[in-house]
Amino acid sequence: MRVLVTGVGGPAGWSLAEQLTARGISVLGADMVPVHLDGVSTVVVPPASDPAMLPTLRALAARHGISMVIPTVSEELPGIAAEAAEFGPGVEVVVGSLAAVATAHDKLLTAEHLLAHGVPVPAFAPAEEGAAAGLGRPVIVKPRVSRGGRGVRLVEPGDAVNWAELRGTHVVQEFAPGIEFAPVVHRATLDDEPHVIVLEKTELADGRIGNAVSVRAVPDGAGDVATVARDAVVALGLVGPVDLDIRLREDGTPLVLEVNARFGANSAAAPELLERVLAAHTVRRREHMWPVTT
């Protein structure tokens, strides 16, 4: 079996490549810049914004006998989801449907969709003058489309904000002050029940917000956190690996901050996630009688 991992130089791709090679699986890593990773062959590919990116990935899959493609770069996901079938019948692309991926890709659309389906989210509004009124302070201002904690800002009372500059591209969220979790979910097909592993973020890069510096698994699923993560994945119609951010209000209500339709940077803390992806792949190969690559 050979797996093509995109974004291998980023935290999610790097972690995934290490997990795969530790299982004895051959990995071809792709990134837009040169990357060195022990035991992994790597190639430089165009960025997601380049029309040549997808043809390049398809050519690499054909040339190297790839049986599974795992994208880990948020910007790539809509394009790859739209053309997943173009990789050929012997190549599984680990990505959800275009409609589901496109909704999760935009944080405003995600919040609107989840709210409409009864999944708890922070109070939110498109970023514009007066958007923060009624949301309390501080508030979170974040890009509608971004990767991880990039561009996320905690706006305290009295902080100046150029709302005109953010209009149309950012969203404002209520700030939930409680514990933050990073549940990881796998759902093999739309007919399957999502499997949820709850991780607690024990340290954040920017203190009160930001990417997780460290996480720990929560054996009991942290009460309602696992249920809310499951409900979010079902509401969005996502399959495959999903990485979520969920934070508690002061009263303990879990709120979905955002949903990433891919492996996240913390997947090594939940190795069962990759095991389930690989097991589902094996089942599909048997069902379709695709040739097994070695």
Side-chain angles (χ1 to χ4, degrees), residues 3-288:
V3 179
L4 172 60
V5 176
T6 73
V8 75
W14 189 284
S15 173
L16 188 56
E18 288 189 327
Q19 293 175 67
L20 288 164
T21 55
R23 289 168 169 79
I25 295 172
S26 176
V27 175
L28 176 65
D31 205 285
M32 59 185 289
V33 297
V35 175
H36 174 74
L37 182 59
D38 289 343
V40 176
S41 299
T42 61
V43 293
V44 175
V45 297
S49 58
D50 191 324
M53 187 271 290
L54 282 167
T56 299
L57 293 182
R58 290 196 297 269
L60 287 170
R63 187 181 312 133
H64 293 273
I66 298 296
S67 57
M68 178 184 282
V69 177
I70 307 181
T72 71
V73 180
S74 295
E75 295 90 334
E76 296 175 345
L77 295 179
I80 290 178
E83 298 190 22
E86 301 302 316
F87 281 81
V91 182
E92 179 181 1
V93 183
V94 182
V95 69
S97 70
L98 175 57
V101 167
T103 301
H105 190 60
D106 184 317
K107 294 174 178 57
L108 178 58
L109 295 182
T110 300
E112 290 173 342
H113 189 91
L114 294 181
L115 181 64
H117 286 77
V119 179
V121 296
F124 66 92
E128 57 186 22
E129 194 69 43
L135 299 185
R137 283 293 179 104
V139 294
I140 297 293
V141 178
K142 60 173 66 174
R144 289 177 57 170
V145 176
S146 69
R147 196 186 327 172
R150 297 179 183 182
V152 178
R153 178 182 174 189
L154 182 68
V155 178
E156 301 279 5
D159 287 353
V161 179
N162 186 341
W163 294 108
E165 197 175 70
L166 305 177
R167 185 170 184 169
T169 60
H170 284 63
V171 62
V172 186
Q173 280 184 345
E174 160 200 359
F175 175 66
I179 298 171
E180 187 163 336
F181 298 89
V184 294
V185 180
H186 178 254
R187 189 184 189 195
T189 72
L190 290 174
D191 295 325
D192 289 301
E193 183 71 13
H195 181 82
V196 183
I197 307 161
V198 177
L199 304 176
E200 178 185 339
K201 297 184 179 183
T202 54
E203 183 181 355
L204 300 175
D206 299 316
R208 299 169 73 188
I209 62 171
N211 294 331
V213 175
S214 57
V215 298
R216 71 175 183 92
V218 183
D220 64 359
D224 293 336
V225 173
T227 299
V228 168
R230 173 213 169 272
D231 291 347
V233 170
V234 171
L236 289 165
L238 288 168
V239 297
V242 185
D243 180 77
L244 300 93
D245 287 330
I246 292 180
R247 194 153 182 164
L248 304 184
R249 274 195 180 124
E250 281 187 320
D251 64 2
T253 302
L255 306 173
V256 179
L257 306 184
E258 58 186 76
V259 180
N260 300 293
R262 56 175 174 78
F263 277 95
N266 304 307
S267 66
E272 185 179 350
L273 179 64
L274 178 57
E275 292 291 350
R276 296 181 73 89
V277 169
L278 295 173
H281 174 70
T282 299
V283 168
R284 277 190 283 272
R285 294 197 77 81
R286 288 173 180 162
E287 289 175 348
H288 294 281

